[in-house]
Amino acid sequence: MERKKVTLPSIAKAYDAGERLAMLTAYDYPSAAIADQAGIEIILIGDSLGMVINGYDTTLPVTIEEIIYHTKAVVRAVEYGLVVADMPFLSYQTGSRDAIRNAGRLLKEGGAEAVKMEGGRNMAEVIRAIVNADIPVMGHIGLTPQSIHRMGGYRVQGRDERGRDALIQDAAAVEEAGAFAVVLEGVPGTLAAEITSKLHIPTIGIGAGREVSGQVLVFHDLLGLSGDRQPTFVKQYAHLRETSVLAVQQYIREVKEGVFPGPEHTYK
Ligand code: KIV
């Protein structure tokens, strides 16, 4: 089947048709090329790159320059997927003016097609301002990693009645502010289902069960590159860390034994 570029209208059309959306993070040229070749519809340069790529404990140190740098690499590899760049901590919390400028940089310098930002009712005004500047916004509510200190850790959100009500209101506010989709992270499946049934934009779940409009995973988690200790919601579709260590060990052996390079790797 002929593949078409994924756009905001095509996402809305797929959502209206009840199709589930597959979203994945990518941070560099090879990961983006793999995601795009495989048919991923939404490719996210997540601020998770701070932890996944740079080894920080949280996403808080990630800068707008780092997201732009990684977005440029991803954009060079992507032909079909919609490229969404994450707004890092403090690139939008300081007000609409800063938020528009930084979101604009992700499109103008990075080449992204949309931005993602964390927050619900507290960020509705900022989302509206960015959308009014013609920059498409994906929301992100529930377990929002940039709020780690308020949450007291990476904890499932919306487990009690007050938390549930708050997230239902946050989801409505994000939709009302003009977001084209919203990530629901780390929330009980029943709550994600309820939010999904109330909204008219796609919900993209991560640790939110299956009653949502789509799923997102971190590239390195999906491929088993992040090690064995994974949260419950991660499914490893391959074990590339193990495979990679074995490959590197074989390389070391062959170098030491004089097996590599062989004649076939030697110029005549
Ligand atoms: O930064 C990220 O990778 C994310 C996704 C997990 C949704 O926000």
Side-chain angles (χ1 to χ4, degrees):
M1 208 174 77
E2 197 207 336
R3 273 178 82 191
K4 288 208 175 114
K5 174 81 185 92
V6 178
T7 60
L8 251 67
S10 72
I11 285 177
K13 199 168 155 200
Y15 169 73
D16 287 343
E19 289 170 28
R20 290 177 195 261
L21 296 161
M23 171 166 152
L24 187 63
T25 68
Y27 311 108
D28 55 16
Y29 189 89
S31 57
I34 289 168
D36 201 48
Q37 187 184 334
I40 288 291
E41 287 144 321
I42 306 177
I43 298 180
L44 172 71
I45 303 93
D47 63 353
S48 52
L49 66 86
M51 299 167 84
V52 176
I53 301 287
N54 295 321
Y56 293 126
D57 286 340
T58 71
T59 58
L60 300 183
V62 177
T63 65
I64 191 83
E65 277 75 24
E66 286 170 329
I67 299 280
I68 291 171
Y69 172 86
H70 286 277
T71 301
K72 281 179 171 172
V74 165
V75 164
R76 283 184 214 116
V78 173
E79 265 185 78
Y80 299 105
L82 183 84
V83 177
V84 180
D86 228 351
M87 306 258 323
F89 182 57
L90 281 197
S91 68
Y92 57 97
Q93 289 90 342
T94 51
S96 297
R97 225 179 135 78
D98 287 349
I100 294 171
R101 186 163 290 127
N102 285 319
R105 288 189 70 191
L106 295 176
L107 270 65
K108 205 175 166 86
E109 299 173 43
E113 295 162 290
V115 302
K116 176 174 84 55
M117 50 183 278
E118 298 179 7
R121 283 161 293 170
N122 58 334
M123 285 298 147
E125 194 186 314
V126 174
I127 295 174
R128 189 171 293 112
I130 300 176
V131 171
N132 282 342
D134 257 348
I135 299 170
V137 175
M138 174 180 281
H140 182 164
I141 62 169
L143 192 173
T144 44
Q146 292 175 20
S147 314
I148 179 166
H149 298 307
R150 172 177 55 75
M151 295 182 304
Y154 297 112
R155 296 174 198 287
V156 174
Q157 301 294 299
R159 279 201 151 135
D160 58 14
E161 205 177 317
R162 208 159 136 224
R164 283 179 81 92
D165 288 348
L167 282 177
I168 291 168
Q169 289 180 48
D170 283 338
V174 167
E175 174 178 57
E176 202 272 321
F180 72 94
V182 59
V183 170
L184 304 180
E185 177 166 356
V187 298
T190 50
L191 174 58
E194 187 175 345
I195 290 173
T196 300
S197 72
K198 284 182 160 42
L199 295 192
H200 306 93
I201 55 171
T203 53
I204 312 286
I206 175 160
R210 61 166 80 176
E211 300 303 317
V212 285
S213 322
Q215 297 290 334
V216 56
L217 276 180
V218 164
F219 183 88
H220 293 62
D221 294 347
L222 182 154
L223 292 177
L225 280 162
S226 321
D228 290 337
R229 282 200 60 224
Q230 290 298 323
T232 310
F233 63 81
V234 168
K235 179 167 178 185
Q236 295 187 331
Y237 287 84
H239 300 281
L240 295 193
R241 190 176 176 130
E242 234 167 67
T243 309
S244 305
V245 170
L246 289 175
V248 174
Q249 284 174 337
Q250 185 175 348
Y251 164 69
I252 295 169
R253 258 194 324 272
E254 292 193 1
V255 168
K256 296 205 178 287
E257 291 167 2
V259 172
F260 175 81
E264 70 276 30
H265 307 113
T266 306
Y267 293 115
K268 301 263 181 314

